[in-house]
Amino acid sequence: MSVKPTVQLENVTKIIGKKTIINNISFDIYPGEVFGFLGPNGAGKTTTIRMLVGLIKPTSGKIHICGFDVRKHFVQAMQRLGSIVENPELYKYLSGRENLQMFARMLPGVDDERIQEVIDLVDLTARIDDHVRTYSLGMRQRLGIAQALLGRPDVLILDEPTNGLDPMGIKDLRLFIRKLVDETGLSVLVSSHILSEIELLADRVAIMSHGKIVKVGSVSDLVGAQSAGVDWRVRDSFRALSILQESPHVQAAELYDDHTIHTLMDESKTSILNEALMKAGIEVWTIERKVQTLEDLFISLTGGDHIV
Amino acid sequence: MSNPNMLGLIRNEVMKIASKKRLPIVILILVILVSMFTYAQYREIQEKIEKQGTLDWRVELQQEIVDRQNRLASSGIQNDFRQFLEFDLKQKQYYLDNDINPNYPGAPTFIRIFFSQGITLVLPLFIIIIMADIVSGEYNDGTIKTLLSRPVRRWRILMAKWLTVLLYTSMLMAATVIVCYGISGIVLGYDGWTAPILTGFQASATGEFATEYIHTLPMWKYLLMSAGLAWVVTAVVGTISLMISVLVKNTATGIGSMMAVLIAGTLLSSLGSSWTSSKYLVNLNFDLINYLEGQAPPIEGMSLPFSLTVLGVWTAGCLAVAFWNFTQKDMY
């Protein structure tokens, strides 16, 4: 790609005490893409994000935001970055507007007009002068996003943005992020431990486990890259299993439960196999194509780490 | 101009403190305290009039002198205390000889006494109430993460917080003067700004009473000096509590340790002078108004410049620790 990345991590390691929390990770994020950061709790996602926003010093390695080193040119780097680290931590005893005014004073070139602009953008106009402590979690999340967008950043970092949101809220957030990226061309880094979320939202994904990045790739490449699986539901699964295992078109077949067989096979040969089963007098109930989900991939990559 | 500028950062801090309504609470406590003291003062005056039939300060001062003489004559008082009494006696005698009322009745005298009594405990306590959670509160609420991922260097944020401590120290001094004056004046009257007051009493190296530096000051000037010294002490306490606020993430623990520092100071200074190197402790140097009044210092060798130097060194040390820790620390 000839486009310059907005976020660059180069061999970043964080050691606390004797424990290696983050082990030599590298990735780039480009303008106009949503980058998913996936891993179970404790994999090191939040630690990585804290290093990105300058809250934690990496033990070694370099982090650049739009070409500015986070440690050496902290101010310039942060001017190009908006973030929510973990929950949107705002001043509960101030109103939403006061919060934004306060953060605006810490950014160059943000006036009242811009403040109103982001309030409208996240649709908080009606409640903006109420105390934040009276806000619902979803509203706090939106105020957090407003805060992150105040300085017209090139990079937006959202750490577990769907925590505590209802399904409707999650969908709204997804559409909002997509629209934002399409309109402004910024880069978004979204972390999550929920696979389905990232799958729908992200263009590219980094999968993290035990402080390491185990895989980076586009969602479409990762999902469905491997040959497809086909699930067979039959009455007599033992006999069916032996027929399927003997077939040259099937690479693997295993019994899943009393009536279900998972196979990994060339899906164009489904009807041939179906015919073979019927000839043997085996009742076939359903044949289902199983697309490999991020979840399958994740389990195969991390050896079944805890994941929701 | 650097953007964001320091003034904007200070405004942010003021906004946070103002919305917690700490200063109004402190002023309320002040009003209650001052009202009680004023009433106590009022009762005392009434009692004196009943007993003596007069309010002549000369008679009163004479009685106090006799009282001191009697106590000095009795055996079995400690050496330190004897010295203190002798000094006090001579001071009172000096006032009487020069026909100056040491307690000219009126609100300004009330302010003078309030500062003199409040400098070691009450005023520092107030600044702790206002300021103790200025950093630790951000840890507790988690807002530190949002605050420190702004395009503003960490030292500037802490500097803004420290300057806010100094700003509130100044407001606290102003509030103290106004509340004391307004309330005590109802009973004691509002004049007395120009009444003369003596200062410059000094113990010579041998502990003798020396008169060569004694001079009179108008009350307003003396009060200005008192308030200035109280400002210094309160600002020092505010700075120490800022450091503790940076180091200790829990606000309650922070307030507790600050209270321990203050109370240990008052206890130690009343315990006496055997442990002479304790004069280098910060909390033994809080009673700066003592030097204006010309009381014997708690430990030999202490003077106003000495105490100011000790306070200055401690303040610089606390700031260095606070800034170092705040700018280097990983924030989780």
Side-chain angles (χ1 to χ4, degrees), chain B residues 46-96:
Chain B
Q46 294 298 318
E47 204 169 297
K48 265 182 205 157
I49 293 175
E50 249 171 56
K51 265 192 197 160
Q52 304 168 358
T54 169
L55 246 187
D56 190 350
W57 61 270
R58 290 178 194 85
V59 176
E60 197 185 321
L61 201 57
Q62 189 60 57
Q63 273 177 353
E64 279 174 14
I65 290 170
V66 171
D67 169 70
R68 300 289 187 280
Q69 282 166 339
N70 289 341
R71 283 162 79 181
L72 279 170
S74 73
S75 58
I77 56 170
Q78 274 188 333
N79 223 12
D80 297 350
F81 192 56
R82 175 180 295 278
Q83 206 170 357
F84 169 81
L85 281 178
E86 273 171 4
F87 205 89
D88 194 47
L89 171 71
K90 280 174 182 155
Q91 210 182 70
K92 288 192 159 58
Q93 192 63 54
Y94 195 90
Y95 268 104
L96 198 59

Side-chain angles (χ1 to χ4, degrees), chain A residues 135-203:
Chain A
Y135 284 16
S136 70
L137 204 50
M139 291 166 66
R140 280 179 203 185
Q141 200 68 256
R142 297 212 304 271
L143 185 62
I145 292 176
Q147 164 274 124
L149 291 174
L150 259 185
R152 301 177 187 87
D154 296 317
V155 182
L156 179 63
I157 293 179
L158 304 174
D159 191 8
E160 304 272 357
T162 55
N163 265 1
L165 293 188
D166 55 26
M168 197 59 204
I170 293 178
K171 195 183 166 213
D172 285 348
L173 181 74
R174 198 162 64 224
L175 296 176
F176 178 83
I177 291 174
R178 192 35 77 190
K179 192 167 152 239
L180 197 67
V181 170
D182 291 345
E183 281 173 8
T184 62
L186 49 55
S187 313
V188 181
L189 172 68
V190 181
S191 82
S192 180
H193 62 285
I194 300 169
L195 295 148
S196 55
E197 217 170 86
I198 292 287
E199 205 172 337
L200 288 169
L201 188 60
D203 303 311

Side-chain angles (χ1 to χ4, degrees), chain A residues 247-262:
Chain A
S247 162
H249 308 303
V250 177
Q251 290 121 54
E254 60 173 1
L255 204 60
Y256 181 70
D257 61 31
D258 285 352
H259 297 287
T260 312
I261 300 163
H262 285 338

Side-chain angles (χ1 to χ4, degrees), chain A residues 115-133:
Chain A
I115 292 175
Q116 191 55 51
E117 219 172 276
V118 294
I119 294 170
D120 293 338
L121 195 67
V122 299
D123 198 17
L124 265 178
T125 316
R127 295 286 305 278
I128 196 66
D129 291 310
D130 295 348
H131 276 179
V132 172
R133 78 168 81 85

Side-chain angles (χ1 to χ4, degrees), chain A residues 97-125:
Chain A
R97 191 187 299 276
E98 284 172 327
N99 265 287
L100 294 179
Q101 283 169 342
M102 219 177 64
F103 292 125
R105 278 188 215 116
M106 304 176 84
L107 290 160
V110 177
D111 51 13
D112 287 347
E113 211 173 303
R114 175 64 186 165
I115 292 175
Q116 191 55 51
E117 219 172 276
V118 294
I119 294 170
D120 293 338
L121 195 67
V122 299
D123 198 17
L124 265 178
T125 316

Side-chain angles (χ1 to χ4, degrees), chain B residues 36-251:
Chain B
M36 281 161 62
F37 295 157
T38 304
Y39 183 70
Q41 194 99 13
Y42 170 74
R43 292 300 299 260
E44 205 185 316
I45 293 169
Q46 294 298 318
E47 204 169 297
K48 265 182 205 157
I49 293 175
E50 249 171 56
K51 265 192 197 160
Q52 304 168 358
T54 169
L55 246 187
D56 190 350
W57 61 270
R58 290 178 194 85
V59 176
E60 197 185 321
L61 201 57
Q62 189 60 57
Q63 273 177 353
E64 279 174 14
I65 290 170
V66 171
D67 169 70
R68 300 289 187 280
Q69 282 166 339
N70 289 341
R71 283 162 79 181
L72 279 170
S74 73
S75 58
I77 56 170
Q78 274 188 333
N79 223 12
D80 297 350
F81 192 56
R82 175 180 295 278
Q83 206 170 357
F84 169 81
L85 281 178
E86 273 171 4
F87 205 89
D88 194 47
L89 171 71
K90 280 174 182 155
Q91 210 182 70
K92 288 192 159 58
Q93 192 63 54
Y94 195 90
Y95 268 104
L96 198 59
D97 293 349
N98 287 275
D99 202 26
I100 291 172
N101 184 352
N103 289 307
Y104 186 90
T109 297
F110 185 92
I111 302 173
R112 175 177 72 79
I113 294 169
F114 191 87
F115 269 120
S116 156
Q117 300 296 315
I119 190 170
T120 53
L121 205 56
V122 176
L123 294 173
L125 191 66
F126 285 158
I127 203 72
I128 292 172
I129 293 176
I130 301 174
M131 288 296 169
D133 67 345
I134 189 164
V135 180
S136 59
E138 306 253 13
Y139 293 131
N140 291 351
D141 294 346
T143 47
I144 192 84
K145 289 178 284 181
T146 322
L147 185 68
L148 295 187
S149 53
R150 306 288 106 192
V152 180
R153 291 245 167 227
R154 286 188 189 179
W155 71 263
R156 291 174 62 92
I157 288 174
L158 194 62
M159 178 62 88
K161 285 185 184 287
W162 185 56
L163 292 175
T164 309
V165 170
L166 300 187
L167 180 69
Y168 270 86
T169 303
S170 312
M171 289 200 268
L172 184 60
M173 294 305 125
T176 307
V177 170
I178 293 167
V179 170
C180 285
Y181 187 64
I183 292 178
S184 70
I186 300 169
V187 171
L188 304 170
Y190 289 102
D191 61 339
W193 288 108
T194 51
I197 184 152
L198 290 170
T199 185
F201 297 99
Q202 267 182 345
S204 65
T206 52
E208 292 293 301
F209 186 75
T211 54
E212 60 259 45
Y213 297 106
I214 298 176
H215 57 283
T216 60
L217 277 178
M219 181 64 86
W220 64 268
K221 232 178 193 173
Y222 185 92
L223 281 184
L224 214 60
M225 289 162 77
S226 294
L229 294 176
W231 187 93
V232 169
V233 172
T234 312
V236 170
V237 172
T239 307
I240 300 172
S241 78
L242 177 79
M243 177 193 71
I244 290 181
S245 199
V246 169
L247 298 180
V248 181
K249 291 191 178 182
N250 187 303
T251 304

Side-chain angles (χ1 to χ4, degrees), chain A residues 14 16 50 54-57 72 74-75 79 86 89-91 93-94 98 102 105 107 147, chain B residues 4 11-12 15-16 19-20 138 141-143 145-146 148 150-154 328 330-332:
Chain A
K14 177 69 183 176
I16 300 173
R50 284 179 187 217
L55 289 175
I56 295 180
K57 264 186 290 191
K72 286 191 197 118
F74 178 75
V75 173
Q79 277 174 2
E86 285 179 313
E89 310 285 11
L90 301 150
Y91 296 93
Y93 45 84
L94 298 176
E98 284 172 327
M102 219 177 64
R105 278 188 215 116
L107 290 160
Q147 164 274 124
Chain B
R11 237 180 110 185
N12 283 354
M15 199 165 160
K16 290 177 210 170
S19 67
K20 288 183 194 162
E138 306 253 13
D141 294 346
T143 47
K145 289 178 284 181
T146 322
L148 295 187
R150 306 288 106 192
V152 180
R153 291 245 167 227
R154 286 188 189 179
Q328 298 301 316
D330 280 351
M331 299 289 171
Y332 294 100

Side-chain angles (χ1 to χ4, degrees), chain A residues 10-35:
Chain A
E10 267 175 79
N11 308 318
V12 173
T13 297
K14 177 69 183 176
I15 297 167
I16 300 173
K18 280 183 178 170
K19 220 169 160 232
T20 305
I21 308 291
I22 303 294
N23 192 349
N24 196 27
I25 65 171
S26 305
F27 62 82
D28 294 341
I29 304 177
Y30 293 91
E33 82 171 343
V34 179
F35 190 82

